[in-house]
Amino acid sequence: MTDHLTFQNYQTEGFYDELFDAGGNPRAEAELLVWKINSLSAGELQQHQAAIERSLLNLGITFNVYGDAQGTERIWPFDIVPRIVPGNEWEQIERGLKQRIRTLNLFIHDVYHEQHIMNDGIVPAELVKSARCYREACRGLNPPREIWCHITGTDLIRHSDGKIYVLEDNMRCPSGVSYVLQNRSLMKQSFPQIFQASRVQPVEDYASHLLRTLDHLAPDNVRHPTVVVLTPGIYNSAYYEHSFLAQQMGVQLVEGRDLVVKDSFLFMRTTSGFERVDVVYRRIDDDFIDPLVFREDSALGVEGLMEVYRRGHVALANAPGTGVADDKVIYAYVPKMIKYYLNEEAILPNVPTYVCHEEEDRKYVLEHLDELVVKAANESGGYGMMIGPHASDEERKKFAQLIADHPRNYIAQPTLSLSRVPTIVGDHFEGRHVDLRPYILYGQEIFVLPGGLTRVALKKGSLVVNSSQGGGSKDTWVITGNGNGQMQSQS
Amino acid sequence: MLSRVADAMYWMSRYVERVENLARFIDVTLNMILDLPVGSPEPWQPLVSVTGDHDLFAEKYGVATQESVQKFLTFEQDYPDSILSSIRLARENARSIRETITTEMWEQLNQFYYLVRDASQSDRVQKSPAEFYRQIRQASHLFQGITDHTMSHGEGWHFANLGRLLERADKTSRILDVKYFILLPSVTDVGTPIDDLQWSAVLRSVSGLEMYRQQYHGITPERVVEFLTLDREFPRAVHYCVIAAENSMHAISGTPVGASRNLAERRIGLLRAELSYAQVQEILARGLHEFLDALQTKINNVGDGIYDTFITLKSIPVDEIMMQTQF
């Protein structure tokens, strides 16, 4: 553990690197970081890395591995070299995300009310109604302040052309923000000197923003609303995050069995009787929240919750039915929606997407399976997906059949080259592919947490960043300004 | 406070105390063996009888030896009260109320769990059992100290305190029972130097030898029984535990001590009164084992009363929890 890690022999290997330009020189915003890391004594960076890993274990910041009867827990691997986003680029991203969320919220409201966008032929009605997360039961619902998607995590990637694209909108229960906060806190604890003079925008106030967003939804006559986080329970993969957010906001973490509907209000069972609940940040699927309306075999939800919601006696975040905008086929229409609702061009482009439902697109996809990434419209976590160039003939055949059988369920996109960030690999740095998930809160106004979760594919050459498939995470720094002139202020 | 949270506080704390006491059980037996006359049978079988599930043990391990009993009580995953199972349950409960307990408590419980889990994958317990069980005790003390000094002494803390004290009362009575079982075949030993050594071992196993000496000086079975059951001030004595548990229960409900408004309060009040006015001579005359047996039943009933009064929850299937998508 005494190897001296520096960037001296670091190679970008022709990929877009977030910290180094094509000539191998640190980008302006990364200069200070690179200089600091290069000037550490031998073994120091590894020590900080090890200290962070130890803390992760002691703090029990682990996720549960599914399909394992023992409920095996693993730490989500963390790499100490941060991803850096310069301030001017971030401003652009932030504006793009706000535009997108505002649009998607209008879309969801429209879908469950007049359906103008379908009637005007912008988004085909049959695609909306066949989306797996479209909920007929939500027609006519009026969520407080007409906000449906209070918490969103949008996945962004940078292609080899240097441009940032939107890959996915996660509008149901986006997870990972707890890692953003913990990663930052551990970085500061274990490696404070790296932050000096770096002008990294803080993320620590996320929980306050989240609580304000939730408070904003409370019924009008409630002055001090009781907010709770509803978790499926400790065996859920994101349980750590549920409890972390409840703790950070200082609110109760509840399970469905803690809640009960009485006289068309929602209550929680306490040791001294029933206490009214006004806002629920729920981390369980629509299908499970109320057995009277959705899946009747659900033991996780609360009987009668939807009726309480419909009467405006409780707020739910995100609103039920929001998932309709999460569908990967619907995603393809977002730039058109932006034009339709806001009369603006999309600030953040979509990844070009072929919708297999459309005959022309389908034909193209079937003919170019070896170049495209095919995705099921409603899977996540890197499942139900085929990366054409890496797939076997057999896999391609399987997907060709799937597409032919269920065209509605598939989209295809060109294989993108995700940008890379230097990552510790043994005794040196190597570039590893990353994506970025910023978190957006829609309350009184729209707030975007500076940075977000950088997920990194730790396997050499891999493009799959999901935690279930060998992904890790990094701290994400949004630097105020463009990073120029920092070297001077340092010396 | 949510009923479910109160329940988890109670059980988290109870399981930690259980782990500590199991370590004490094994330790006292290891201690006694050192003082047994050469050739006497080692008292491992009674240990299983008092603490464990006899049938499960017989089925999985057969003969009771130091190695098999130690392994069963410490690491057996199929035995729900083994040290490993209990610490895992303590941690699961803590995880379910992670937002209620302090980070310091959670960190210590995690480290405690890793201590046991890592030991289960090595041979360190066979090599130096005394050292391992000492570490367990220390880890438990550390957890309890952190709990007392980082968490507000409100309702949640009182539920944790209840769990810890009822478990301890139960287990102190069982440690006395171990001695009873070991004594059984040789009633003639009473009053001999061997007996003296064995009673010292019992006291030591509850960290009580020094406090006992300050109070009573010479060791006699009668005084030891009195000290461990009826003492009001020694923190591992049954009476002390019941008094402190009663105080916590009343702090939770707001009912003045001496009055009762629910089943839990009635049951613990009766038990406390019995211990307050009992005399050790009567206990021994009635039979120590019978007394301890009845005591354990009453402590159990208090636990059931707490559940009926404050908690009452249904359980939910794990697969449904895991099914919830988190993107």
Side-chain angles (χ1 to χ4, degrees), chain A residues 31 483-491:
Chain A
E31 266 181 23
N484 290 324
Q486 287 179 34
M487 288 298 289
Q488 285 84 334
S489 68
Q490 168 62 29
S491 53

Side-chain angles (χ1 to χ4, degrees), chain B residues 9-40:
Chain B
M9 286 297 298
Y10 175 87
W11 282 105
M12 168 192 72
S13 169
R14 200 158 176 164
Y15 280 121
V16 169
E17 184 69 28
R18 186 165 295 174
V19 168
E20 179 184 331
N21 281 288
L22 259 174
R24 290 177 181 277
F25 274 126
I26 299 168
D27 204 37
V28 66
T29 312
L30 289 168
N31 256 303
M32 283 178 173
I33 288 168
L34 300 178
D35 299 327
L36 282 176
V38 182
S40 355

Side-chain angles (χ1 to χ4, degrees), chain A residues 415-473:
Chain A
T415 313
L416 294 168
S417 151
L418 273 56
S419 62
R420 306 200 313 181
V421 179
T423 301
I424 299 180
V425 178
D427 59 356
H428 60 288
F429 292 112
E430 280 181 28
R432 287 292 183 266
H433 296 288
V434 295
D435 76 351
L436 176 61
R437 174 180 290 184
Y439 294 87
I440 306 107
L441 298 175
Y442 196 158
Q444 198 147 19
E445 50 209 26
I446 299 180
F447 166 78
V448 185
L449 185 69
L453 182 65
T454 292
R455 298 185 298 179
V456 52
L458 294 170
K459 277 184 234 154
K460 194 178 178 71
S462 168
L463 296 171
V464 187
V465 296
N466 305 87
S467 57
S468 50
Q469 303 197 29
S473 75

Side-chain angles (χ1 to χ4, degrees), chain A residues 17 28 70 91-92 99 141 212 253 314 325 353 392 401 404:
Chain A
D17 195 284
Q70 283 284 318
E91 277 168 34
Q92 175 88 350
Q99 177 196 50
L141 275 185
R212 219 170 297 146
L253 179 69
V314 72
T353 301
S392 62
Q401 192 59 46

Side-chain angles (χ1 to χ4, degrees), chain A residues 58-59 66 73 172 175 232 235-236 239 253 257-258 269-271 283 285 288 299 380 437, chain B residues 1-4 91-92 95-96 98 106 110-111 114 155 314 316 320-322 324-327:
Chain A
N58 285 340
L59 284 165
Y66 283 167
E73 303 159 30
R172 280 168 283 173
S175 68
Y235 299 109
N236 185 263
Y239 177 77
L253 179 69
R257 56 186 168 150
D258 296 324
R269 294 174 220 269
T270 76
T271 50
R283 294 290 298 253
D285 298 348
F288 288 83
S380 68
R437 174 180 290 184
Chain B
M1 159 159 287
L2 286 178
S3 300
R4 180 181 52 79
R91 182 166 172 263
E92 298 256 293
R95 187 196 288 286
S96 76
R98 178 63 195 82
W106 171 240
N110 253 315
Q111 287 176 9
Y114 293 129
E155 198 181 351
K314 58 175 179 171
I316 37 173
E320 212 173 286
I321 298 172
M322 293 176 49
Q324 302 305 302
T325 340
Q326 308 286 319
F327 291 85

Side-chain angles (χ1 to χ4, degrees), chain A residues 125-274:
Chain A
E126 71 269 22
L127 283 185
V128 173
K129 295 202 167 165
S130 61
R132 195 182 340 148
C133 291
Y134 171 77
R135 292 285 171 272
E136 189 60 35
C138 295
R139 283 298 294 275
L141 275 185
N142 288 298
R145 332 278 170 239
E146 290 195 3
I147 305 169
W148 294 72
C149 48
H150 315 93
I151 300 129
T152 309
T154 302
D155 289 344
L156 305 176
I157 54 147
R158 192 197 296 276
H159 188 39
S160 51
D161 59 7
K163 274 207 259 177
I164 301 266
Y165 292 84
V166 176
L167 186 66
E168 260 175 41
D169 304 289
N170 297 294
M171 319 204 66
R172 280 168 283 173
C173 297
S175 68
V177 73
S178 57
Y179 293 103
V180 175
L181 305 184
Q182 283 290 3
N183 286 350
R184 176 65 56 84
S185 144
L186 290 173
M187 281 285 274
K188 282 191 165 167
Q189 242 173 56
S190 316
F191 203 9
Q193 58 273 41
I194 202 83
F195 284 91
Q196 284 160 16
S198 292
R199 293 189 288 173
V200 178
Q201 292 189 24
V203 294
E204 287 80 355
D205 55 353
Y206 177 79
S208 320
H209 284 282
L210 178 59
L211 185 57
R212 219 170 297 146
T213 304
L214 296 169
D215 276 343
H216 182 60
L217 307 177
D220 283 328
N221 54 350
V222 178
R223 283 185 62 195
H224 301 287
T226 300
V227 175
V228 299
V229 177
L230 173 59
T231 176
I234 63 170
Y235 299 109
N236 185 263
S237 62
Y239 177 77
Y240 163 73
E241 174 154 307
H242 309 159
S243 80
F244 177 81
L245 291 175
Q247 186 194 34
Q248 294 293 307
M249 289 192 285
V251 306
Q252 292 277 11
L253 179 69
V254 304
E255 296 178 10
R257 56 186 168 150
D258 296 324
L259 299 175
V260 63
V261 168
K262 285 166 89 79
D263 308 326
S264 75
F265 284 93
L266 181 67
F267 294 89
M268 52 187 174
R269 294 174 220 269
T270 76
T271 50
S272 49
F274 294 109

Side-chain angles (χ1 to χ4, degrees), chain B residues 102-289:
Chain B
T102 62
T103 298
E104 287 87 344
M105 287 165 73
W106 171 240
E107 262 184 290
Q108 169 56 19
L109 200 46
N110 253 315
Q111 287 176 9
F112 196 169
Y113 168 71
Y114 293 129
L115 165 75
V116 179
R117 191 203 57 184
D118 292 349
S120 74
Q121 291 157 6
S122 79
D123 60 352
R124 57 171 300 205
V125 180
Q126 295 304 333
K127 278 188 175 154
S128 48
E131 170 61 15
F132 174 71
Y133 295 112
R134 190 185 61 80
Q135 279 187 9
I136 299 263
R137 278 206 310 270
Q138 269 184 351
S140 164
H141 290 166
L142 188 52
F143 176 74
Q144 303 197 8
I146 290 171
T147 303
D148 290 350
H149 296 280
T150 61
M151 199 179 168
S152 296
H153 288 205
E155 198 181 351
W157 182 86
H158 282 295
F159 271 105
N161 202 39
L162 264 180
R164 139 168 75 182
L165 291 163
L166 292 179
E167 179 70 18
R168 189 184 295 166
D170 176 79
K171 289 301 180 290
T172 296
S173 79
R174 284 176 200 263
I175 285 177
L176 267 177
D177 237 9
V178 176
K179 170 61 184 159
Y180 170 86
F181 267 98
I182 293 167
L183 256 184
L184 202 57
S186 52
V187 182
T188 48
D189 284 344
V190 174
T192 65
I194 293 164
D195 197 41
D196 215 59
L197 286 170
Q198 292 195 347
W199 283 111
S200 309
V202 170
L203 286 168
R204 217 178 297 120
S205 80
V206 296
S207 309
L209 185 57
E210 288 154 13
M211 290 301 118
Y212 173 89
R213 280 207 177 115
Q214 286 176 21
Q215 202 163 322
Y216 295 97
H217 316 296
I219 291 179
T220 70
E222 189 180 292
R223 287 171 183 168
V224 175
V225 170
E226 182 175 64
F227 182 67
L228 292 185
T229 53
L230 302 182
D231 197 89
R232 300 175 60 93
E233 289 166 353
F234 179 60
R236 308 199 74 82
V238 176
H239 192 194
Y240 171 92
C241 294
V242 172
I243 292 171
E246 188 185 26
N247 289 340
S248 270
M249 198 187 288
H250 285 266
I252 291 164
S253 64
T255 314
V257 179
S260 68
R261 285 194 295 206
N262 57 52
L263 187 66
E265 287 169 355
R266 276 194 295 284
R267 285 182 178 169
I268 201 164
L270 281 169
L271 178 57
R272 202 252 309 132
E274 182 188 342
L275 291 167
S276 296
Y277 301 107
Q279 292 220 301
V280 69
Q281 293 81 2
E282 284 168 18
I283 291 171
L284 293 177
R286 249 166 54 198
L288 179 61
H289 179 63

